[in-house]
Amino acid sequence: MSPTLPAHLHFLSPDQLFGPLFRDVQLSYVFSDSKTFVDCIPRLPANELRARYDVEKIKPGFDLDSFIRDHFVVPEQAAGNYVSDTTLATADHIDRLWDRLTRPADMPVAGSSRVALPHPYVVPGGRFREIFYWDSYFTILGLQVSGRTELIRGMVDNFAYLIDTFGFIPNGNRTYFLSRSQPPFFALMVGLLADIDGKAVLARYQPQLQREYDFWMAGLPNVYQGQSASQRVVRIDDSTFLNRYWDDTPTPRPESYRQEIELLEKAEPLGIAPEELYNHIRAACESGWDFSSRWFRDEHTLAHIHTADIAPVDLNCLLYWLEVTLHNIAIQTGAWKTAYDDFDPLINDRQKAIQRVFWNEETGFFHDYDAVSQKQIPSLTLAGVFPLFFRLATPQQAERVHERLKSDFLQAGGWVTTLQQSGQQWDWPNGWAPLQWIVYRGLLNYGFAETANEGRDRWLSLNDKVFKATGKMMEKYNVVDASLTTGGGEYPNQDGFGWTNGVYLRLLKDKQGK
């Protein structure tokens, strides 16, 4: 039975529930990490807490820190007290760690920001105590290797439940994530489950796949009628419509409230309006690449972020695959006429657009596209490898991407995310597990096995080295100089770590030829 919240507590986020108390806590450094308070659970109903705070805060000697700890349950880090055995092989450590990162089905808790899910699930670890959308696909890769099939089924069903509840998959199962999604990997998750349980799985999730597609395409009628952009759809020209990342709530994110108030102080002297800044910040969070020079006008400065202006190459490849998946389900279920009429032209149009809009013959790479200035963004990032992952590149294009990857992106510890050293975490010198998998599979798709295996082996070796030295599997790694730590980000590097564990096991399985 799916969990439900009482109607009067219908998915309000902490800033909505606690008002001035929320703002005071986040701006007073009660917690060093802004995410801690939004994950706290109140011991009293929100209205009683607000009233009590109004009375207590004006008394002499009032201490906000003590008030919070008396009236809220403060969360612990996921697997934060786990002591690793570094004499184990890395894969054996991960197999043991899955249980520490797995959460049982949730019971609704009044006032909690957690959106209750009906089945067990794996969290990333560290400060991330909830399920995350795109992380989960890469985590599932490893769960499959570990034989945890029932857990995979439950996680896919959790995402179907979120679509049934909200009409889309949120960034994560928190009330403060309900205004945005993340890269749409649900079709790939369903496809992986179909590989395990048979093709009938595809048809079972067709309603949810269609609803997710409708969510991403909801702005299309307005763009058809002449708007340059609406929600997650952008006009490239009169016959070409692609997708972007978006968020409808142009306010500071509750989980990063203090940092974004401080960022606004830097942005306003530059003539940047608060609503514009926060919209672009939130859109970058929907991308999963929060943050990266990829989204900055000057490739250096967070205040110059303009994510919602951009049609990203990776997002549009993922939506191509969602269209292909829905097309194939319709054929499988016998609705061939509907499949042909509805999706065949969409698939063809997107294929052509990906070639025409994102490919750059001069650089030999796929680039993001600025739909406002109507030109490609010059920076090179691993997002440009997604066309190879989905077999959308021509052999000649794949050859040139391969050359660029070997010459510029392959580092001592694997594939570096971008070539720009901005200080942000989704930039040089950092490497991330999901992108290692995308590059690895993309290169194999076009026969570049030697380079694919070299990148794979360097990444696995780096993971092993860090585990032996620290007992941790990290959220991200410095792939340029393994003796140094990673850089950038709103928070310290996290250990656990769901998608790193998943990709490690899947790459190791391939290396061992199992």
Side-chain angles (χ1 to χ4, degrees):
M1 184 175 179
S2 297
T4 56
L5 282 173
H8 67 287
L9 291 175
H10 189 65
F11 305 119
L12 295 177
S13 60
D15 52 326
Q16 295 169 318
L17 280 174
F18 303 118
L21 171 59
F22 165 83
R23 179 179 174 86
D24 291 348
V25 170
Q26 295 293 56
L27 295 182
S28 299
Y29 288 85
V30 172
F31 301 105
S32 59
D33 183 352
S34 291
K35 191 175 185 299
T36 303
F37 182 58
V38 295
D39 291 354
C40 288
I41 299 173
R43 300 181 191 273
L44 296 172
N47 59 337
E48 291 184 30
L49 261 176
R50 292 195 306 269
R52 184 169 296 190
Y53 177 63
D54 288 342
V55 171
E56 295 292 327
K57 70 180 181 180
I58 59 175
K59 291 182 178 179
F62 172 75
D63 182 72
L64 181 57
D65 186 282
S66 297
F67 181 88
I68 294 303
R69 297 181 191 280
D70 287 345
H71 293 87
F72 289 83
V73 178
V74 179
E76 297 180 355
Q77 290 212 342
N81 59 352
Y82 184 75
V83 178
S84 302
D85 180 355
T86 55
T87 65
L88 292 173
T90 307
D92 293 334
H93 163 72
I94 292 171
D95 278 332
R96 289 189 178 188
L97 194 58
W98 285 135
D99 289 340
R100 298 301 295 264
L101 296 175
T102 300
R103 297 292 173 266
D106 296 314
M107 291 298 294
V109 176
S112 172
S113 64
R114 188 188 305 277
V115 175
L117 295 175
H119 305 284
Y121 54 93
V122 175
V123 301
R127 72 196 285 269
F128 301 115
R129 296 168 281 260
E130 55 282 305
I131 203 168
F132 277 75
Y133 180 5
W134 81 306
D135 293 53
S136 296
Y137 171 69
F138 301 97
T139 300
I140 285 171
L141 291 173
L143 293 174
Q144 183 181 20
V145 175
S146 295
R148 302 197 177 217
T149 305
E150 198 58 37
L151 187 52
I152 294 172
R153 294 188 187 107
M155 289 175 68
V156 174
D157 281 341
N158 280 336
F159 288 122
Y161 165 77
L162 288 169
I163 292 173
D164 289 341
T165 303
F166 300 109
F168 71 104
I169 298 175
N171 187 148
N173 64 317
R174 291 283 183 183
T175 57
Y176 52 80
F177 286 150
L178 296 182
S179 61
R180 63 179 182 270
S181 187
Q182 272 195 326
F185 273 85
F186 186 58
L188 284 150
M189 294 185 210
V190 171
L192 186 149
L193 186 56
D195 291 340
I196 298 171
D197 288 346
K199 289 186 176 180
V201 164
L202 294 171
R204 187 191 318 155
Y205 293 100
Q206 189 275 342
Q208 290 84 11
L209 289 163
Q210 181 65 55
R211 284 194 74 184
E212 178 169 55
Y213 185 71
D214 293 343
F215 165 79
W216 285 97
M217 302 306 296
L220 188 59
N222 291 333
V223 175
Y224 270 147
Q225 292 170 16
Q227 291 187 23
S228 60
S230 178
Q231 297 182 62
R232 290 165 177 82
V233 180
V234 293
R235 174 188 295 273
I236 305 301
D237 56 40
D238 288 343
S239 61
T240 308
F241 310 99
L242 289 171
N243 291 84
R244 64 173 177 174
Y245 292 112
W246 181 253
D247 188 307
D248 292 319
T249 311
T251 58
R253 292 174 295 148
E255 73 276 18
S256 298
Y257 189 83
R258 183 177 65 248
Q259 296 95 317
E260 292 182 11
I261 292 293
E262 293 170 352
L263 178 62
L264 180 62
E265 294 173 358
K266 299 177 182 178
E268 283 188 314
L270 302 174
I272 299 169
E275 295 80 5
E276 177 186 0
L277 175 69
Y278 296 138
N279 176 260
H280 290 309
I281 288 282
R282 285 169 170 264
C285 295
E286 183 167 82
S287 80
W289 291 47
D290 43 326
F291 294 103
S292 170
S293 62
R294 178 185 181 192
W295 311 125
F296 304 162
R297 285 190 180 90
D298 64 355
E299 297 188 356
H300 291 283
T301 313
L302 182 57
H304 286 298
I305 193 167
H306 69 136
T307 320
D309 294 344
I310 297 168
V313 58
D314 48 355
L315 171 61
N316 283 281
C317 290
L318 285 161
L319 288 167
Y320 158 82
W321 190 249
L322 178 51
E323 289 167 343
V324 168
T325 302
L326 286 165
H327 176 88
N328 291 339
I329 291 171
I331 295 172
Q332 174 190 321
T333 56
W336 164 249
K337 185 70 166 65
T338 302
Y340 185 84
D341 287 348
D342 289 352
F343 282 103
D344 200 60
L346 298 175
I347 292 167
N348 290 334
D349 287 348
R350 198 181 293 267
Q351 278 182 302
K352 293 174 183 176
I354 287 169
Q355 285 285 336
R356 183 170 58 84
V357 175
F358 299 123
W359 175 253
N360 186 305
E361 186 63 28
E362 183 177 340
T363 63
F365 216 76
F366 290 93
H367 294 248
D368 294 326
Y369 185 81
D370 186 333
V372 174
S373 65
Q374 297 186 319
K375 60 184 180 182
Q376 286 183 349
I377 291 172
S379 59
L380 301 177
T381 81
L382 289 183
V385 188
F386 273 70
L388 278 67
F389 183 85
F390 289 108
R391 302 178 190 269
L392 283 161
T394 67
Q396 294 77 19
Q397 289 170 338
E399 172 66 43
R400 296 196 63 196
V401 171
H402 168 246
E403 292 171 0
R404 178 70 75 165
L405 288 170
K406 278 185 68 175
S407 65
D408 294 347
F409 286 89
L410 183 58
Q411 302 297 321
W415 303 104
V416 70
T417 306
T418 78
L419 306 181
Q420 188 68 41
Q421 193 164 4
S422 71
Q424 298 297 331
Q425 62 177 353
W426 285 86
D427 276 316
W428 180 288
N430 295 343
W432 294 76
L435 299 179
Q436 308 300 311
W437 178 251
I438 295 297
V439 175
Y440 173 70
R441 292 301 311 175
L443 290 173
L444 289 181
N445 284 342
Y446 289 86
F448 301 113
E450 183 178 352
T451 307
N453 292 341
E454 181 65 27
R456 175 198 68 195
D457 294 349
R458 292 186 188 190
W459 177 257
L460 291 173
S461 177
L462 176 59
N463 284 196
D464 288 336
K465 177 183 175 181
V466 172
F467 172 67
K468 290 301 181 186
T470 68
K472 299 175 185 294
M473 299 295 288
M474 309 304 290
E475 179 191 24
K476 56 185 179 287
Y477 293 81
N478 184 328
V479 296
V480 177
D481 186 346
S483 68
L484 301 175
T485 59
T486 55
E490 298 177 296
Y491 50 85
N493 199 5
Q494 302 296 298
D495 67 308
F497 193 85
W499 63 12
T500 305
N501 300 346
V503 170
Y504 181 95
L505 291 181
R506 189 63 179 83
L507 290 175
L508 183 65
K509 179 183 177 183
D510 275 19
K511 181 177 182 178
Q512 295 174 342
K514 293 181 180 178

